[in-house]
């Protein structure tokens, strides 16, 4: 798996990453969503450099201009619900993309720290021969992304598969490397230190879905 770490060089991306982590800023859910969206826009721009392009000729009012445009058909697939603000950022840049949606959550059958991943709601377009961008703000254990990838691949063969996360734990990155094909791309805005005993990312930012949309039962 090819891994791309975007925040290694200073840019406005690091400014937005700092704000989504800051407990003095997080109480403004609208600002949190907007910052995730802006992070998505920056990551979309960086990812766009790796896509295939084709030569085209554009008619302007005064003549013909030779330029390039994206050659692949793109499908954006956020993992609900936390992936929606990140999806908005990507959709701002890839406005021509198709969109698929899937839900995944941790289920604790024994009401303790042990969990399994439930992949339930799906609204998936045709992914065959297309460039799929799977969007999820947090890569903790990696189990959700692997479960969703398996679900998406059951009846499809994409041309390319990219996974986009805002914050990742080393354990999650290692899990993806072990369980996903070498052809996958992983795009990470920030790599954090570790997972804690509850498998939450440290220092992380908390629960991205709750911060964006409110706490759940």
């Amino acid at each position: 798996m090819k891994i791309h770490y975007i925040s290694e060089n200073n840019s406005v991306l690091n400014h937005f990453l700092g704000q989504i982590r800051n407990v003095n800023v997080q109480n403004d859910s609208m600002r949190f969503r907007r910052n995730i969206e802006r992070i998505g826009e920056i990551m979309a721009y960086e990812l766009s450099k790796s896509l295939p392009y084709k030569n085209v000729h554009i008619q302007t009012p005064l003549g013909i201009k030779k330029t390039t445009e994206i050659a692949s058909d793109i499908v954006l697939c956020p993992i609900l619900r936390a992936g929606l603000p990140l999806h908005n950022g990507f959709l701002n840049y890839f406005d021509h993309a198709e969109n698929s949606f899937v839900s995944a959550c941790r289920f604790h059958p024994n009401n303790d720290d042990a969990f399994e991943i439930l992949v339930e709601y799906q609204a998936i377009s045709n992914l065959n021969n297309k460039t799929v961008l799977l969007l999820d703000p947090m890569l903790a254990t990696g189990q959700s992304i692997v479960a969703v990838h398996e679900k998406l691949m059951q009846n499809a063969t994409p041309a390319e598969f990219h996974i986009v996360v805002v914050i990742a734990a080393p354990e999650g990155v290692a899990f993806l490397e072990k369980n996903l094909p070498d052809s996958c791309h992983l795009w990470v805005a920030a790599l954090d230190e570790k997972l804690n005993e509850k498998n939450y990312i440290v220092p992380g930012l908390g629960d991205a879905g709750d911060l964006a949309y409110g706490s759940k039962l």
Side-chain angles (χ1 to χ4, degrees), residues 106-123:
R106 295 181 181 185
F107 173 61
H108 300 264
N110 300 317
N111 294 319
D112 55 18
D113 292 339
F115 65 88
E116 57 190 60
I117 301 299
L118 297 183
V119 179
E120 298 180 318
Y121 176 82
Q122 301 171 64

Side-chain angles (χ1 to χ4, degrees), residues 97-109:
E98 296 179 72
N99 297 273
S100 296
F101 300 89
V102 62
S103 71
C105 64
R106 295 181 181 185
F107 173 61
H108 300 264

Side-chain angles (χ1 to χ4, degrees), residues 72-78 87 90-91 94-101 123-133 135:
S72 56
D73 295 322
I74 296 174
V75 180
L76 303 177
C77 184
H87 171 255
F90 270 78
L91 195 57
F94 299 126
D95 55 294
H96 58 287
E98 296 179 72
N99 297 273
S100 296
F101 300 89
I124 301 172
S125 57
N126 182 2
L127 307 180
N128 287 319
N129 301 314
K130 297 176 182 177
T131 298
V132 177
L133 277 56
L135 312 172

